Every structure is written in structure tokens, then in C-alpha cells.
């Protein structure tokens, strides 16, 4: 049962921007292979790669036109196979990004579905009975097909929703998940999963996993659908790992996912931590963590204290961490990210403090996300060692500031964010209480206050984590007996007169009994 997930530390690769080996200005699979040792050296043992399949790239590949073929700009299916092998040779694992909710309009299924004459794909997407019927509260694509109908959209205008049926139905064209069309869609998606798992990938990060069955306010239809996928995986690929972009772990874990992402949108309060006017992990000391913890605990309880909620450092959809946090603040933030339950996810470049590139024109449907997707900065060579293409041909403009961080510089500097993360990963991996499945109990969380403390535990091991991102010393009353300090940054938190006192901008992990 995907045991490897228990101590997985993920590195997210946005393939366009990681490493280009053929000089076209866009990253590729051989580039990823060439940097596997770098990722392993950092301590990450698992990868998540954003969609790398044939696509017109209107939404950076989240608009798939052929689920079973690697986009030529990244290489071939043979390269993918080689990547899986090279990953496994190093004792690592790899998740591909499955986009089951929608395709590109260029997908042959959609092209066939637009035809007036009924065919195998007529019900693969959700169509109203007439182009004059515009579905309520949902975007639709109209007037482009020979077929008379409006097609429901999932995201951008070129991403029609695949048909998994409706949980509550009030129009004749809304099918049940048990109807033939929706059942065939699910079978087709299982076939896609089978294809890549057979080739050697270890599982999937699933895009918009909670949105497949429509009109499903409590998620019951979508949970039932994923349970079918779970049975299929159990039978054919019991070690396949499934991580959902859902944001409701009580539902996704019921659906058979192993872990769920904490989302930066919706009610999670994730942005209170790192990305708002006064982030908690910032020295001003004006942030609040209480609302985040309240929501986190709600989900933790609802998912039977499994705590399998993955908190990413960032991803291709949000601003770079370094946009709001300075170097020291980033280090304290990583002490948090690498000591919480659930698998940590480090977004490529965050380990070297890559900055958000400002003022860019949107590339491949990224809009405000573009600045977080700029090419990796490896060294001081041309294009920071990312590509030999001329600067104008790079996928996205790089950070051009003279002091831009690079992997090489960070690795050479013992005080860098890179080395702090590396140290934190080693500490996490050496203590089972700190790993994904260790329990968590919050011991000091107050509205608008610092520090923030929790105990992670597994069997007899208990570790108190004290985080004080603020620029002022901060303390809290504590009756725990403090033991050995196993990690600290910015000075150690100490017990004085019944209080734990944490230095300004510090993180301490201490054994407690
Ligand atoms: C979530 C992905 O992370 C995002 O990049 C994409 O645009 C949407 N889903 C649509 O697939």
C-alpha cells in the first residue's frame, strides 16, 4: 500500500522550466534526468511532474490532447520510461499529473464529440440538448460544433468537462454516474492510469480531483467514483500512490486517496502563513496563525487524525515564497513545512530562494502565475545554466537581477536556504515522530500571537516544535519537560520560570517527555 509515501519528501518539477538539454529554451525529460542527483542530494526522494503530455499548452499542459503520449518538446515515451528507471535506480519515486476532469478542445475525443452524428464519444463530455440551453452557473462552449448543444467547461474556455455524470439531476441531458457515457469516461481514465503505471510511474497527483461528478454538493458521487478507482488500483497496482488536489481530506481519503493537498484557495487560511499583507512567517509579528490551525484541526479530526494533508512550499499556481518572505523567514517557514504531518512538497527553486519574476506577460495561460514559473537558476553560466538557447527564446524570462540565487551559489554557502532545508530534511527523516504519519498536538496557538508550538509524536518519541518567525523574542507558559534539542535555527528556545522563551526569528525542535 504505497509504503514509500510514509517518508516521501516531494520535489515538484514544472517541466518547462527545469532543465533544457536540446537548446530550444524549454525544459525536457533528459534535463530532469540530468538533475536527479541534485534532487537526491537535497534529500527529496519523490517527484511530482506537472502534465507532460501532448497539448496545445493553452493552460501549460492542463489541457491534454493525448493522455498517452509525452509532448515532443519534452521528449518521447521512451524518455519517460528512462526517467522512471533512473528515478527508481536512485531509490526515488515519481508521480505524474493526471488531469481527469477535462481535456483540450484538440483532443480527438472532443473532436468526435462535437459531431452531429452520434458516435462513441458523444457522451464523453457534458452537452445540453440544444445550443440555446445555457447551463446555469457554469461556463459553456457554444456555437463551435456541428452538434446542437452547449458543452460544459471546467476551467478555461478550451477545457471542456469530461462526463462523469451528475449526482443531483434536474435536466434531461444530465446523466447519472451509472449511465453508459459516464461509465465509459471512467474506464477510459483507468486505461490512461494503467498505461503509465505499466510503464513504471508510481502514481498520480490528481488535478481538481473533487470536481468530477457535477451537482454533487456533499461530494458523495465523486467519492464513490474514486472508490471505484481505488478498487481497480488495489487489484492491479496496489503500490500506486494517489495524492489529490481536493482540499477536503475527509472526502478525498474516503475516496481512497492516500494524501490530500492543503489548497491555497478556499477556506484553508494557507495564505495567512506565507502570502498576505502580514504573513505569520514574517518578522513584523503582525500575522495570525490561529484561523489556519482551527481549520487544520477540523480537517485533521474529520480525517480520523490521519493528518495526511500535504502543505506545499508553493506550486505553479501561486506566488513564489520569496516574494513575501526574506531568507531568514523562509528558513523558519521550512522548519514548519518540514515538521508537519503529511508529505512535504517543495516547489522547484524554492530550495534556493528563487524570486517571483515581476511584470511578465502571461505565458501559456499562466497570467499572474507566470512569475512563479520562470526557468530554474543553476549557475553563473548563460541563462543561469538552464539552457543554451538565446535569451529571447527562453520559455519564460528569468530573474535578471545581478544577485539572483543559483543552486551552485546556495550549495557553496553553508548558511543558505538550501542548506537549512537539507538539514531539516535529514532531521525529519531521522525521527519517526516528525514524518508524515506522526501525530500532532498543538500546544500554543493564540490569535495574533507568537510563538507557535506543537508536539509531534510517534510511539514513545515526542518532539516539541517551537516556531517564532517574529522579530521579537516571544514566550508561552508550558509544563512540558524539555530534553535534547535536535534542531535549531536562530538560537534555541529555552525553558525559564515555567515558560518556553523563543529567540526572535527562530525554530527549535526539542525532545520532550
Ligand atoms: C489546477 C492546476 O494546478 C492549474 O495549474 C490548472 O490551471 C487548473 N487545475 C486546471 O486544470
Amino acid at each position: 500500500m504505497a509504503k514509500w509515501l510514509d517518508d516521501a519528501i516531494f520535489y515538484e518539477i514544472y517541466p518547462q522550466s527545469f532543465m533544457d538539454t536540446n537548446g530550444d529554451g524549454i525544459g525536457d525529460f533528459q534535463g530532469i534526468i540530468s538533475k536527479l542527483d541534485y534532487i537526491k542530494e537535497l534529500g527529496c526522494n519523490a517527484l511530482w511532474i506537472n502534465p507532460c503530455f501532448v497539448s496545445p499548452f493553452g493552460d501549460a499542459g492542463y489541457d491534454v490532447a493525448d493522455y498517452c503520449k509525452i509532448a515532443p518538446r519534452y521528449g518521447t515515451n521512451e524518455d519517460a520510461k528512462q526517467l522512471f528507471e533512473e528515478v527508481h535506480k536512485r531509490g526515488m519515486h515519481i508521480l505524474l499529473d493526471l488531469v481527469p476532469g477535462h481535456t483540450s478542445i484538440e483532443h480527438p475525443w472532443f473532436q468526435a464529440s462535437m459531431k452531429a452524428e452520434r458516435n462513441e464519444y458523444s457522451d464523453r463530455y457534458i452537452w445540453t440538448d440544444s445550443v440555446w440551453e445555457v447551463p446555469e452557473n457554469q461556463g459553456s462552449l457554444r456555437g463551435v460544433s456541428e452538434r446542437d448543444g452547449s458543452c460544459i467547461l471546467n476551467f478555461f474556455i478550451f477545457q471542456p468537462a469530461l462526463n462523469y455524470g451528475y449526482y443531483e439531476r434536474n435536466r434531461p441531458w444530465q446523466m447519472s454516474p451509472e449511465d453508459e457515457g459516464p461509465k465509459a469516461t471512467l474506464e477510459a481514465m483507468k486505461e490512461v492510469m494503467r498505461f503509465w503505471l505499466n510503464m513504471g510511474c508510481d502514481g498520480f497527483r490528481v488535478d481538481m480531483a473533487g470536481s468530477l461528478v457535477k451537482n454533487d454538493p456533499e461530494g458523495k458521487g465523486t467519492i464513490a467514483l474514486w472508490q471505484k478507482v481505488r478498487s481497480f488500483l488495489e487489484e492491479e497496482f496496489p503500490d500506486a500512490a494517489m495524492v489529490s488536489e481536493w482540499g477536503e481530506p475527509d472526502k478525498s481519503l474516503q475516496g481512497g486517496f492516500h494524501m490530500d493537498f492543503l489548497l491555497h484557495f478556499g477556506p484553508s487560511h494557507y495564505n495567512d502563513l506565507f502570502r498576505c499583507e502580514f504573513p505569520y512567517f514574517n518578522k513584523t509579528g503582525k500575522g495570525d496563525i490561529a484561523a489556519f490551525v482551527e481549520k487544520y484541526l477540523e480537517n485533521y479530526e474529520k480525517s480520523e487524525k490521519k493528518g495526511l494533508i500535504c502543505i506545499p512550499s508553493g506550486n505553479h499556481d501561486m506566488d513564489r515564497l520569496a516574494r513575501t518572505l526574506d531568507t531568514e523567514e523562509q528558513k523558519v517557514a521550512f522548519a514548519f513545512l518540514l515538521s508537519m504531518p503529511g508529505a512535504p512538497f517543495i516547489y522547484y527553486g524554492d530550495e534556493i530562494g528563487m524570486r517571483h519574476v515581476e511584470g511578465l506577460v502571461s505565458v501559456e495561460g499562466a497570467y499572474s502565475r507566470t512569475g512563479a514559473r520562470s526557468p530554474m537558476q543553476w549557475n553563473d553560466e548563460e541563462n543561469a545554466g538552464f539552457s543554451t538557447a538565446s535569451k529571447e527564446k527562453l520559455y519564460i524570462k528569468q530573474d535578471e537581477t545581478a544577485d539572483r540565487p543559483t543552486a551552485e551559489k546556495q550549495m557553496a554557502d553553508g548558511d543558505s536556504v538550501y542548506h537549512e532545508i537539507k538539514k531539516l530534511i535529514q532531521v525529519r527523516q531521522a525521527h519517526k515522530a516528525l514524518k508524515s504519519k506522526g501525530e500532532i498536538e498543538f500546544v500554543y496557538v493564540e490569535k495574533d500571537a507568537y510563538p507557535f508550538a506543537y508536539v509531534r509524536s510517534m510511539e514513545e518519541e515526542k518532539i516539541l516544535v517551537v516556531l517564532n518567525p517574529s522579530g521579537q523574542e516571544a514566550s508561552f507558559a508550558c509544563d512540558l519537560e524539555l530534553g535534547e534539542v535536535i534542531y535549531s535555527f536562530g538560537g534555541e528556545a529555552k525553558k525559564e520560570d515555567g515558560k518556553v522563551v523563543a529567540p526572535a526569528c527562530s525554530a527549535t525542535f526539542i525532545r520532550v517527555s
Side-chain angles (χ1 to χ4, degrees):
M1 263 272 300
K3 264 308 275 174
W4 61 269
L5 266 184
D6 294 355
D7 49 21
I9 300 191
F10 280 90
Y11 189 86
E12 179 192 343
I13 294 181
Y14 184 73
Q16 287 91 322
S17 293
F18 196 55
M19 182 65 202
D20 171 24
T21 55
N22 66 352
D24 63 356
I26 295 187
D28 46 51
F29 271 29
Q30 288 303 326
I32 298 176
I33 292 172
S34 73
K35 295 297 183 186
L36 288 176
D37 290 333
Y38 165 83
I39 298 167
K40 188 171 175 172
E41 167 83 29
L42 175 66
C44 290
N45 53 16
L47 304 180
W48 155 31
I49 303 205
N50 293 107
C52 48
F53 316 105
V54 169
S55 165
F57 291 98
D59 183 15
Y62 283 94
D63 45 339
V64 179
D66 183 344
Y67 283 103
C68 294
K69 194 166 177 213
I70 296 296
R73 68 185 189 177
Y74 300 134
T76 61
N77 285 16
E78 273 310 301
D79 291 314
K81 197 164 170 216
Q82 190 192 343
L83 172 63
F84 302 159
E85 285 164 6
E86 292 294 332
V87 161
H88 295 152
K89 254 192 223 164
R90 289 165 175 81
M92 299 163 82
H93 291 88
I94 179 164
L95 302 184
L96 293 182
D97 205 320
L98 184 72
V99 191
H102 48 265
T103 66
S104 153
I105 44 173
E106 289 185 18
H107 197 293
W109 296 344
F110 188 68
Q111 294 296 318
S113 194
M114 283 200 296
K115 296 222 157 81
E117 197 175 302
R118 267 198 74 77
N119 61 64
E120 194 187 338
Y121 301 102
S122 298
D123 296 334
R124 178 80 22 123
Y125 299 81
I126 309 169
W127 292 88
T128 65
D129 288 336
S130 141
V131 76
W132 310 122
E133 177 166 358
V134 183
E136 271 173 45
N137 309 323
Q138 251 165 335
S140 63
L141 193 60
R142 309 165 58 226
V144 292
S145 60
E146 183 182 270
R147 172 183 186 155
D148 184 7
S150 308
C151 185
I152 306 284
L153 293 171
N154 236 23
F155 202 68
F156 288 144
I157 195 145
F158 44 76
Q159 287 160 310
L162 284 161
N163 185 12
Y164 295 94
Y166 279 69
Y167 188 71
E168 286 165 9
R169 299 173 287 280
N170 47 41
R171 299 293 302 139
W173 47 267
Q174 296 176 340
M175 295 179 192
S176 147
E178 296 310 321
D179 283 340
E180 287 314 310
K183 269 168 51 189
T185 310
L186 183 57
E187 285 312 308
M189 212 38 71
K190 282 178 8 195
E191 204 47 47
V192 171
M193 297 172 80
R194 205 176 263 129
F195 181 84
W196 292 109
L197 290 167
N198 273 331
M199 194 184 281
C201 92
D202 298 295
F204 301 95
R205 171 268 187 187
V206 179
D207 187 68
M208 296 172 69
S211 71
L212 299 194
V213 175
K214 305 297 184 203
N215 277 6
D216 186 18
E218 290 165 42
K220 288 187 183 153
T222 306
I223 292 170
L225 179 142
W226 285 112
Q227 283 170 344
K228 288 184 191 154
V229 174
R230 164 72 20 228
S231 318
F232 142 71
L233 290 174
E234 231 122 75
E235 221 163 89
E236 296 184 33
F237 304 96
D239 285 332
M242 299 290 283
V243 181
S244 50
E245 186 200 34
W246 192 322
E248 294 178 283
D250 52 326
K251 296 184 180 137
S252 51
L253 298 185
Q254 250 189 78
F257 282 96
H258 296 104
M259 294 192 192
D260 191 17
F261 271 108
L262 192 96
L263 302 181
H264 61 289
F265 50 89
S268 75
H269 286 275
Y270 172 86
N271 287 336
D272 297 4
L273 307 181
F274 313 121
R275 294 170 178 84
C276 62
E277 192 184 357
F278 295 113
Y280 188 75
F281 283 90
N282 149 317
K283 287 182 202 145
T284 57
K286 290 190 186 164
D288 178 47
I289 192 117
F292 167 82
V293 172
E294 193 185 324
K295 199 73 208 167
Y296 183 88
L297 274 176
E298 220 176 85
N299 280 321
Y300 188 66
E301 298 294 334
K302 278 202 268 179
S303 54
E304 294 162 30
K305 297 204 171 183
K306 284 194 193 131
L308 301 172
I309 306 165
C310 304
I311 313 179
S313 69
N315 68 26
H316 58 290
D317 291 334
M318 43 177 139
D319 292 355
R320 282 274 178 198
L321 203 58
R323 191 180 210 185
T324 35
L325 305 189
D326 71 17
T327 302
E328 286 183 306
E329 292 162 349
Q330 287 167 45
K331 291 178 183 174
V332 182
F334 272 104
F336 165 73
L337 290 163
L338 290 162
S339 64
M340 284 294 282
F345 276 72
I346 300 174
Y347 183 49
Y348 84 96
D350 279 355
E351 79 280 16
I352 60 165
M354 250 170 81
R355 299 176 188 136
H356 199 87
V357 183
E358 308 291 344
L360 297 180
V361 173
S362 177
V363 174
E364 296 190 342
Y367 299 95
S368 59
R369 308 174 289 185
T370 313
R373 300 178 177 189
S374 64
M376 180 68 180
Q377 294 149 205
W378 294 106
N379 53 38
D380 285 339
E381 288 165 26
E382 183 95 23
N383 303 321
F386 162 69
S387 169
T388 54
S390 62
K391 199 162 129 185
E392 310 69 59
K393 276 185 73 190
L394 297 191
Y395 171 71
I396 289 175
K397 216 167 132 209
Q398 283 180 307
D399 175 3
E400 284 176 357
T401 47
D403 66 343
R404 65 182 172 193
T406 65
E408 199 175 79
K409 280 192 271 187
Q410 288 267 313
M411 289 171 89
D413 170 6
D415 284 335
S416 62
V417 176
Y418 170 91
H419 279 290
E420 210 57 50
I421 294 176
K422 190 169 168 179
K423 203 187 298 170
L424 279 160
I425 292 178
Q426 282 165 2
V427 173
R428 181 180 173 102
Q429 297 297 43
H431 295 89
K432 52 183 185 293
L434 292 175
K435 291 189 186 181
S436 285
K437 288 195 167 164
E439 282 188 29
I440 186 165
E441 196 185 333
F442 293 95
V443 295
Y444 185 73
V445 182
E446 285 295 320
K447 187 159 170 37
D448 299 324
Y450 290 76
F452 165 46
Y454 47 90
V455 171
R456 298 289 319 277
S457 59
M458 171 72 98
E459 293 152 14
E460 69 297 338
E461 186 176 58
K462 276 189 192 324
I463 295 169
L464 171 69
V465 174
V466 182
L467 303 169
N468 179 20
S470 81
Q472 308 293 323
E473 182 181 279
S475 63
F476 66 100
C478 175
D479 49 21
L480 292 167
E481 189 85 23
L482 306 197
E484 180 202 359
V485 170
I486 59 165
Y487 168 82
S488 73
F489 165 74
E492 291 178 6
K494 292 209 166 62
K495 196 146 174 203
E496 291 164 17
D497 305 328
K499 282 181 168 181
V500 171
V501 183
C505 205
S506 70
T508 316
F509 299 178
I510 318 158
R511 282 189 201 279
V512 286
S513 44

